Amino acid sequence: KNQAIEHCRVFGSPRMPAVELNGISLYYEDSDPEDAAKLPAVIFLHGAAGNAMSWWQQIPTLSVAHRCITFDSRGFYRSADVTGEGVLRFIDDLEALIEHLRL
């Protein structure tokens, strides 16, 4: 089987989790959520008009050699900004996600 195609089937699926942190539900996607392959992790950050799916074309190739993680920043797509803090909490949310994933 083509490993990149298998990763693509998982990425973007409805079974990907959201984690409660810093007062919000933060949506993220992880190409190897169990860290079974023990690959180096790369976290992809989207811009102001993007979301976790901004990287859909790169993930299948890069996930062969890396654990690829994307997330919807607070206030974007599947991560609501219920606190109204938006981009001011970006670094806090990223740090909390890294801790949650034990990276």
Side-chain angles (χ1 to χ4, degrees):
K1 287 185 177 179
N2 183 322
Q3 233 180 348
I5 291 172
E6 289 303 309
H7 284 291
C8 191
R9 287 185 186 139
V10 172
F11 231 77
S13 73
R15 63 183 175 183
M16 284 294 170
V19 60
E20 299 294 323
L21 51 85
N22 296 334
I24 65 164
S25 177
L26 189 79
Y27 177 89
Y28 71 96
E29 298 187 0
D30 187 340
S31 66
D32 186 10
E34 302 299 321
D35 196 22
K38 303 293 183 211
L39 298 172
V42 177
I43 300 177
F44 295 84
L45 311 175
H46 66 78
N51 60 53
M53 291 305 295
S54 296
W55 307 102
W56 72 272
Q57 291 177 311
Q58 290 80 21
I59 299 300
T61 300
L62 295 174
S63 63
V64 173
H66 297 85
R67 179 179 174 188
C68 297
I69 299 154
T70 66
F71 68 99
D72 291 340
S73 298
R74 181 185 295 249
F76 290 86
Y77 197 32
R78 293 158 289 202
S79 296
D81 183 13
V82 297
T83 66
E85 298 171 287
V87 71
L88 298 175
R89 294 297 302 270
F90 177 79
I91 298 298
D92 296 332
D93 294 343
L94 176 58
E95 182 178 59
L97 179 62
I98 290 169
E99 289 175 11
H100 170 75
L101 296 172
R102 297 184 178 135
L103 299 177

